[in-house]
Amino acid sequence: MFPLTRRPEASLRRGCEEGNLELVRLSLQRGARVNEAAADGTTALMLSCREGRVDVARLLLDSGAAIDQADAVRLVRAQSADFADYQQKAGAEVARAPAAPAAPRTV
């Protein structure tokens, strides 16, 4: 069984931090308010983006989570890393950004 709390928002936040998609789904079904901010101002979407939980972020967005520019940047970064991992697991060669050229030496 999932560790639900009396406040579905607390369970939602925990699921977002842990990447527990089923706990997030259950919390939303039990009435968790997807856009409620904690005392520190973070929302469930912010937590999932910060933790790189792309699948959780997608579910939150599908459930009406409001997204701001910072969330969008975090989500794009997480998706890029997630996709690169997927490609590597599938056996693809993942191109890495070339190293910056060394600065010229002064004597």
Side-chain angles (χ1 to χ4, degrees):
M1 189 69 197
F2 298 112
L4 286 173
T5 63
R6 288 184 180 212
R7 290 199 60 237
E9 287 79 15
S11 296
L12 176 66
R13 294 177 63 78
R14 183 173 181 177
C16 290
E17 289 176 325
E18 296 174 356
N20 186 332
L21 196 57
E22 289 306 311
L23 180 56
V24 171
R25 276 192 186 110
L26 189 55
S27 299
L28 291 169
Q29 289 171 356
R30 293 223 172 159
R33 293 174 295 216
V34 71
N35 289 312
E36 182 173 297
D40 64 359
T42 60
T43 64
L45 183 61
M46 289 176 182
L47 291 174
S48 64
C49 290
R50 183 181 69 203
E51 299 299 324
R53 312 293 188 178
V54 176
D55 54 344
V56 172
R58 286 182 186 140
L59 176 60
L60 294 171
L61 290 168
D62 289 344
S63 299
I67 188 166
D68 66 15
Q69 189 173 6
D71 292 332
V73 169
R74 287 185 197 103
L75 185 56
V76 167
R77 286 182 182 155
Q79 285 177 326
S80 297
D82 190 43
F83 185 66
D85 288 344
Y86 172 78
Q87 286 179 310
Q88 284 181 330
K89 288 175 185 171
E93 289 290 322
V94 177
R96 300 283 180 215
R105 288 199 236 179
T106 57
V107 183

